[in-house]
Amino acid sequence: SEMMSAIESDVFKISMTLIWQWEADSTASRVITDIICAFWPGTELAAIAQRITENESLHSHSYSEIVKNCFDNIQDVIDKLRSDIEPLKRLTAVVAVFKECQHTANRFRMGELTNNSAEVKRAKLLFFGAMIALERIQFTGSFNVTFTYGDRGSWNSIAKTVQKIAVDELSVHVRTWKYCFRNEIKLPEYQEVLPGVLKSINALASEVLSSELGYCDLLFKDGVNIERPGKTPITCDILKESIRYEAQNVYDFFGFELPFARIEKHPMEFTLQWKDINSVQTSPQEELTGNYLLGGFINDLEDGVPYIPSFLR
C-alpha cells in the first residue's frame, strides 16, 4: 500500500534500486563457489565459499520476496529489468572479470593450465579484486538510497531487511575477500603477475565507480530529490559524493591513487548506523524489526486492484 501512496519519483528510485540489487546478488551467488573450489581445493576456503554463496542466495531470495510483494505482476518487473539496458550496464565490468576467471578455472579443471600458469595466478587475484570492487563500491549507492528512505520512515520493513544484507556484505564478505587477497600476495609466486593484476583491478575500480556515478544520473533523471522532512534532502550530487567517499576504502586498500580529491567526511553519515547493526538497539515494541523473513512482506492490496507503477506500464 505504501507503493500506492508514495510519489512516483520515490517509487521509481526505490524500485530500480531493489530490482538491481536482486540481479547483482543473484549474479554473485552463481560464481563464488565455482571459482573458489576450482582453484583452492582445501576444505577451509571451500567452506567459506559455500557459506558466502549461501548468504548471497539468501540475499537474492530476500530481494525477490520484497519485489514480488511490492508489485502485483512480477513478470512486468522482470521484463522491465531485462529490457532496460542502463541498470544492467552497472554489472558489465564485474561480469566481464567473472567470465575471464570462470574461463580460466574451466581450463584449469581440464588440465590445460597448472597452478604455475600466469593465467591461473592472475585469475585468482583478479577474482578477489572483483568481489571487493563489487561489494565495497558497487552496492554503495543502492544501499544509501534504501537507507535514506528507511531513515525518514519510509518502507521500514524493506530497509530493515536490506540492513541485514548490508551488514553481511560489509562485515563478512568484504573482510573475507580482503583477507584472502592479502594472504595470496604474500606468496612469492604471485610477484611476477601482481603488477599486471593491480593495473587490471585499478581499471576495474575506475569503471565500477564511473558506472555508479552514471547510475545516480539515471535515478535522478526526473530532477526530483529525495526529501527528508526537517533534514537536508538527498540530491544526485550528494549521492555521488557518498559513493566516492566509500570507494576510497577500495582505493586505499590496494594502494591506488584516488581519481578525485580525498573526501574526509561521509556526506550521508546517517547511513553508517544502518550498516552497523549493533549501533542502535531496537525494540519490537517500538518499531518493526527486520529479519530474514521470507514471506514477511504482506500484499495488502485489495483483491482485483492490481498495482503497477507508471514507469513499469
Side-chain angles (χ1 to χ4, degrees):
S1 60
E2 191 170 357
M3 285 288 183
M4 296 185 70
S5 60
I7 65 171
E8 183 176 346
S9 177
D10 286 338
V11 172
F12 173 77
K13 289 180 176 62
I14 190 67
S15 299
M16 295 306 292
T17 293
L18 294 170
I19 292 168
W20 184 84
Q21 290 283 82
W22 180 14
E23 177 74 6
D25 275 330
S26 297
T27 299
S29 70
R30 290 192 289 266
V31 301
I32 295 171
T33 300
D34 180 52
I35 293 174
I36 291 287
C37 291
F39 293 136
W40 293 275
T43 55
E44 294 86 354
L45 197 52
I48 292 174
Q50 291 166 359
R51 181 65 186 89
I52 292 181
T53 295
E54 178 187 353
N55 212 213
E56 293 287 15
S57 296
L58 180 57
H59 295 173
S60 177
H61 284 301
S62 296
Y63 283 118
S64 171
E65 193 73 11
I66 292 170
V67 173
K68 284 189 293 187
N69 284 279
C70 285
F71 302 101
D72 182 70
N73 191 333
I74 187 62
Q75 191 58 50
D76 285 348
V77 177
I78 294 174
D79 290 345
K80 173 63 179 177
L81 176 64
R82 299 299 184 186
S83 64
D84 192 339
I85 192 62
E86 289 303 322
L88 292 179
K89 282 182 179 178
R90 294 174 75 185
L91 280 175
T92 299
V94 170
V95 167
V97 171
F98 286 161
K99 287 181 177 179
E100 177 187 337
C101 293
Q102 282 186 305
H103 179 65
T104 303
N106 289 335
R107 293 180 64 197
F108 180 66
R109 286 190 183 98
M110 296 297 292
E112 295 180 17
L113 299 172
T114 68
N115 255 326
N116 292 323
S117 303
E119 296 97 320
V120 170
K121 296 173 186 176
R122 168 183 165 81
K124 288 179 175 181
L125 298 182
L126 195 56
F127 170 73
F128 293 136
M131 291 305 301
I132 293 168
L134 173 66
E135 299 193 292
R136 195 62 187 88
I137 300 177
Q138 192 118 54
F139 288 167
T140 297
S142 298
F143 284 148
N144 287 353
V145 168
T146 302
F147 297 149
T148 295
Y149 286 117
D151 192 66
R152 81 173 192 187
S154 302
W155 292 298
N156 182 272
S157 294
I158 291 175
K160 287 294 184 180
T161 300
V162 175
Q163 179 184 40
K164 290 182 67 66
I165 292 173
V167 169
D168 288 341
E169 305 284 9
L170 299 174
S171 299
V172 180
H173 301 186
V174 172
R175 289 183 181 181
T176 298
W177 305 134
K178 284 182 175 180
Y179 175 85
C180 290
F181 186 88
R182 287 194 194 100
N183 186 69
E184 290 298 300
I185 63 173
K186 290 178 182 177
L187 303 176
E189 57 261 35
Y190 286 102
Q191 297 314 303
E192 184 179 347
V193 301
L194 184 58
V197 170
L198 288 174
K199 184 176 180 180
S200 295
I201 295 175
N202 196 349
L204 174 64
S206 177
E207 192 168 346
V208 167
L209 177 59
S210 177
S211 72
E212 288 305 285
L213 298 179
Y215 191 69
C216 293
D217 292 326
L218 177 65
L219 280 185
F220 287 87
K221 66 181 181 180
D222 58 6
V224 180
N225 299 328
I226 302 177
E227 295 298 332
R228 300 191 301 147
K231 301 176 182 178
T232 304
I234 298 304
T235 65
C236 182
D237 287 341
I238 290 176
L239 183 61
K240 285 182 176 181
E241 196 74 348
S242 76
I243 293 171
R244 292 189 186 97
Y245 176 88
E246 298 202 35
Q248 291 175 154
N249 180 277
V250 173
Y251 278 82
D252 290 346
F253 173 76
F254 289 110
F256 299 151
E257 182 179 350
L258 289 176
F260 50 82
R262 181 169 293 278
I263 305 167
E264 298 297 338
K265 183 178 179 180
H266 200 307
M268 297 176 66
E269 200 166 13
F270 65 90
T271 64
L272 296 179
Q273 70 181 34
W274 285 85
K275 298 164 189 173
D276 180 3
I277 209 162
N278 295 317
S279 64
V280 178
Q281 183 175 357
T282 60
S283 168
Q285 290 82 12
E286 297 173 352
E287 64 173 282
L288 293 172
T289 58
N291 293 297
Y292 284 134
L293 288 176
L294 297 182
F297 291 89
I298 299 172
N299 186 340
D300 57 357
L301 296 177
E302 296 179 11
D303 291 339
V305 183
Y307 171 61
I308 302 176
S310 60
F311 74 90
L312 285 177
R313 292 170 190 159

